[in-house]
Amino acid sequence: GQQLNQSPQSMFIQEGEDVSMNCTSSSIFNTWLWYKQDPGEGPVLLIALYKAGELTSNGRLTAQFGITRKDSFLNISASIPSDVGIYFCAGQLEGYQKVTFGTGTKLQVIP
Amino acid sequence: DTGVSQDPRHKITKRGQNVTFRCDPISEHNRLYWYRQTLGQGPEFLTYFQNEAQLEKSRLLSDRFSAERPKGSFSTLEIQRTEQGDSAMYLCASSWGQGVYNEQFFGPGTRLTVL
């Protein structure tokens, strides 16, 4: 089945630093998504990408849909304490509503 | 609060018991999804409804699991003869749309512990 691997698995950064995390897939997706999950809550959508090569920003967040359609990255600039949480990449195939989630990157920000 | 709500938030049960969870989607969302999330993993898709029709089912949804959305509004997920491996967070999400990806809004989840 489809698998999404995220790296790094976890990271500690200083407040104000930029962060980059990656996601690779064993197969292609037509839509790439990035979610953030806080403890005890469901995931919240941060960015959706619909076209290979697409680069999209949402405030301090920037994400790109890889050309091969098998990878994506998320950058967070000037991190702040509330960026703490688990970030999931996710993919969707055309014609299906099922969203396949990655393994997650746990981000901790040191004030 | 007009978000997705789930009830109960926590459920502890003994192995072999049946449990039922409820999800109330955002009002007028026509699509509803169930996911399961185990500790340290991302959510795994279980099933999807468009209105009252169940259109996609994962192989994870064994014959002990059944989901319904009888009137196209709230949904229930029942697990029969629970096993310890069923311990997980069960997440519900809803969306509005007819075509390709529509943003799925997630509820807070029901955490199930099977003893």
Side-chain angles (χ1 to χ4, degrees):
Chain A
Q2 297 151 334
Q3 289 187 338
L4 293 178
N5 296 307
Q6 288 185 243
S7 63
Q9 202 170 12
S10 65
M11 53 199 314
F12 286 82
I13 60 167
Q14 291 281 354
E15 183 177 356
E17 285 184 349
D18 297 345
V19 173
S20 184
M21 56 190 80
N22 295 308
C23 186
T24 58
S25 169
S26 57
S27 53
I28 64 171
F29 285 104
N30 301 104
T31 300
W32 280 89
L33 308 157
W34 284 92
Y35 286 84
K36 179 174 181 264
Q37 187 173 28
D38 293 326
E41 298 183 15
V44 174
L45 181 68
L46 300 173
I47 291 181
L49 302 154
Y50 300 105
K51 229 164 62 165
E54 180 182 351
L55 185 71
T56 297
S57 292
N58 178 10
R60 294 179 297 106
L61 280 64
T62 302
Q64 184 156 33
F65 189 144
I67 292 289
T68 64
R69 295 199 285 163
K70 288 187 177 183
D71 63 312
S72 177
F73 72 74
L74 175 72
N75 287 342
I76 305 173
S77 62
S79 58
I80 59 178
S82 62
D83 291 334
V84 165
I86 302 178
Y87 291 79
F88 290 102
C89 64
Q92 190 183 30
L93 283 174
E94 190 170 0
Y96 292 92
Q97 289 299 310
K98 168 185 174 179
V99 172
T100 300
F101 282 80
T103 49
T105 293
K106 186 174 183 178
L107 177 65
Q108 308 216 42
V109 178
I110 304 166
Chain B
D1 184 17
T2 56
V4 177
S5 61
Q6 294 187 243
D7 183 66
R9 293 292 308 274
H10 303 273
K11 178 72 176 178
I12 299 174
T13 191
K14 290 183 179 176
R15 191 175 51 188
Q17 298 292 306
N18 298 345
V19 294
T20 300
F21 310 139
R22 177 181 170 120
C23 170
D24 286 273
I26 293 172
S27 180
E28 297 184 3
H29 274 190
N30 60 336
R31 292 174 168 171
L32 187 145
Y33 315 79
W34 285 99
Y35 290 81
R36 181 176 73 183
Q37 186 175 24
T38 52
L39 207 58
Q41 301 295 318
E44 295 173 291
F45 173 82
L46 292 178
T47 192
Y48 148 64
F49 290 85
Q50 176 143 326
N51 300 311
E52 64 276 5
Q54 189 173 18
L55 297 184
E56 289 177 34
K57 283 172 67 171
S58 163
R59 278 173 289 182
L60 290 174
L61 212 65
S62 75
D63 56 5
R64 295 185 300 105
F65 288 68
S66 63
E68 294 183 346
R69 194 183 184 200
K71 296 181 181 177
S73 57
F74 74 92
S75 174
T76 57
L77 177 68
E78 182 185 16
I79 309 174
Q80 296 182 326
R81 305 181 303 280
T82 53
E83 302 172 356
Q84 287 185 323
D86 296 332
S87 295
M89 175 78 85
Y90 289 84
L91 293 163
C92 176
S94 71
S95 72
W96 166 255
Q98 301 292 335
V100 294
Y101 182 77
N102 316 109
E103 181 179 352
Q104 297 179 19
F105 294 85
F106 283 82
T110 294
R111 181 166 293 286
L112 172 67
T113 302
V114 182
L115 302 175

